[in-house]
Amino acid sequence: MKALCWTGVNKLEVESVDDPGILNDQDIIVRVLLTTTCGSDLHLLGGYVPTMRAGDVLGHEFIGEVVETGSAVTKHRVGDRVVVCSFISCGKCWYCTNELYSLCDNGNPDAGIPEMLWGQAPGGCYGYSHALGGWAGSHAEYIRVPYADQGAFTVPEGVSNERALFASDAAPTGWMGADLGGVQPGDTVAVWGAGGVGQMAARGALLLGAERVIVIDRYQERLTQVEQVIGAETMNYETSEVLGELRELTGGRGPDVCIEAVGMEAHSDRIDFAYDQIKQQLRLQTDRPTAVREAIFAARKGGSVFVLGVFGGFVDKFPLGAVMNKGLTLRSAQQHGHRYIPMLLERMARDEIVTEHLATHILPLDEGPEGYDMFKEKTDGCVRAVFQP
């Protein structure tokens, strides 16, 4: 079958790879209908995550049709249209039974790598390096889905592929930021990043009752989507003084909840961005925490900051003193999507959550390298490149 493979730093090729097969009686094989790029894939593409190997198939956000099932699968049959959570979870370990699905003890067969980096290992994720399991990704014609009764969800009739696709990762990740960030009715929420995850965090905050949601970015096409589709306010950090304007909007206090949806390659026009970029290029730190710092400084005293963006290692000049002295609650996680996806699909069926506008460019898989270039450089108004194998 054809698959889009990482072949080196900033190098992608469509290659012929072996078809996946049933290896465990809880597996299903899915024919991929749509699969999309995610901002965190760019960290893999650019070599910021050091555990990629030439030939790895990228992609963790997808929808497809079941074409084969293992003998122990009870919830899915051949022909079902399913969206699959990007994280792989067994459903039975301590973490899964406590709804901390992305921390599953059995989803990551390469746990030794992250244990050296982080002390303990998160679960596995499709197409997301050997630190997260080395699982083959979804930018392919077919994909093996382990623990299918836990991780695959039947898509309701009437919900289009283009909408349900984002229930795989962007929508549950964003919702989790609003939920575990502690958004309460009447809150003011600020979200850094207007990509798919940031937009879904903003929509989640509004549906949880936030009175005001302000999304911060620099790309006008994404800010326009936030205003017209998500229903939130926007702020362009290239033309606004973010901290001052957020204080002014909140009576001098700052937002109740700040959600960072940017990650290790943050951009800013502040001096600390140049500092971070130089240290990252010199390999003196692994990540650029520019947006996280701003979120911590922006949050009101006693507020909360939730980090949704992906980070890999170590950062410098982290404002721990601000976290402590302002009494902030700081939380983060890879997505615990299994607890949210059924609810999100129901909201999608009721048009409370729409996502198809994110799929600005739908391309055949053969044009995967060009799609990634467009997504990375944000050319032609690209918000997400979606591939149709």
Side-chain angles (χ1 to χ4, degrees), residues 118-275:
W118 306 319
Q120 291 179 301
C125 182
Y126 298 98
Y128 212 83
S129 86
H130 291 265
L132 270 71
W135 297 94
S138 60
H139 295 344
E141 293 179 287
Y142 297 91
I143 186 169
R144 173 189 168 220
V145 174
Y147 306 117
D149 281 345
Q150 296 298 321
F153 301 85
T154 301
V155 178
E157 289 188 18
V159 178
S160 69
N161 290 343
E162 290 78 9
R163 181 174 295 187
L165 166 64
F166 296 98
S168 174
D169 187 276
T173 303
W175 189 279
M176 181 184 71
D179 180 30
L180 300 188
V183 172
Q184 298 293 318
D187 276 354
T188 295
V189 178
V191 179
W192 276 257
V197 171
Q199 290 194 30
M200 291 300 103
R203 188 61 185 156
L206 288 168
L207 290 169
L208 288 170
E211 183 175 315
R212 299 188 76 166
V213 178
I214 303 110
V215 180
I216 301 148
D217 203 289
R218 63 171 168 152
Y219 294 108
Q220 189 54 51
E221 60 271 17
R222 304 203 303 192
L223 294 173
T224 299
Q225 289 186 340
V226 169
E227 294 169 358
Q228 296 181 349
V229 182
I230 302 301
E233 301 170 53
T234 62
M235 188 178 293
N236 186 326
Y237 67 76
E238 291 186 329
T239 57
S240 301
E241 201 288 294
V242 174
L243 293 177
E245 293 190 24
L246 286 175
R247 291 281 166 79
E248 186 174 345
L249 289 170
T250 54
R253 289 194 303 275
D256 302 288
V257 179
C258 292
I259 299 172
E260 187 272 357
V262 179
M264 67 172 72
E265 294 181 76
H267 175 273
S268 172
D269 53 7
R270 301 199 317 267
I271 187 67
D272 58 327
F273 165 69
Y275 174 87

Side-chain angles (χ1 to χ4, degrees), residues 51 53 107-115 121-122 129-135:
T51 56
R53 298 174 188 167
N108 186 348
D110 289 337
I113 297 174
E115 283 173 355
S129 86
H130 291 265
L132 270 71
W135 297 94

Side-chain angles (χ1 to χ4, degrees), residues 187 253-258 297-304 326 328:
D187 276 354
R253 289 194 303 275
D256 302 288
V257 179
C258 292
F297 286 124
R300 70 161 169 80
K301 292 181 286 187
S304 70
K326 291 174 67 177
L328 299 179

Side-chain angles (χ1 to χ4, degrees), residues 1 5 72 75 79 103 145 147 161 166 201 203 220 243 258 271 293 299 336 350 356 361 372 377:
M1 69 171 183
C5 299
K75 294 183 180 177
L103 303 176
V145 174
Y147 306 117
N161 290 343
F166 296 98
R203 188 61 185 156
Q220 189 54 51
L243 293 177
C258 292
I271 187 67
R293 283 198 205 98
H336 303 308
R350 297 196 297 266
E356 49 268 49
H361 295 73
Y372 262 91
E377 301 303 328

Side-chain angles (χ1 to χ4, degrees), residues 288-305:
R288 300 199 298 261
T290 319
V292 176
R293 283 198 205 98
E294 191 164 75
I296 289 171
F297 286 124
R300 70 161 169 80
K301 292 181 286 187
S304 70
V305 175

Side-chain angles (χ1 to χ4, degrees), residues 32-105:
V32 179
L33 298 173
L34 292 175
T35 176
T36 182
T37 58
C38 173
S40 56
D41 289 322
L42 298 180
H43 310 323
L44 306 175
L45 178 62
Y48 292 96
V49 179
T51 56
M52 292 293 290
R53 298 174 188 167
D56 284 347
V57 180
L58 285 177
H60 58 268
E61 192 161 12
F62 62 103
I63 183 172
E65 178 185 3
V66 178
V67 296
E68 189 175 357
T69 64
S71 59
V73 174
T74 61
K75 294 183 180 177
H76 302 291
R77 295 181 298 180
V78 171
D80 282 357
R81 189 169 60 119
V82 294
V83 65
V84 178
C85 183
S86 61
F87 265 77
I88 298 164
S89 308
C90 72
K92 295 180 179 177
C93 70
W94 186 91
Y95 291 99
C96 287
T97 55
N98 284 276
E99 295 191 314
L100 300 169
Y101 296 101
S102 67
L103 303 176
C104 173
D105 267 340

Side-chain angles (χ1 to χ4, degrees), residues 48 274-289 293 313-318:
Y48 292 96
Y275 174 87
D276 288 331
Q277 190 174 43
I278 291 170
K279 289 202 72 173
Q280 191 180 42
Q281 289 173 347
L282 293 175
R283 300 294 189 262
L284 297 174
Q285 69 180 34
T286 58
D287 308 67
R288 300 199 298 261
R293 283 198 205 98
F314 303 93
V315 299
D316 193 6
K317 303 293 183 288
F318 183 80

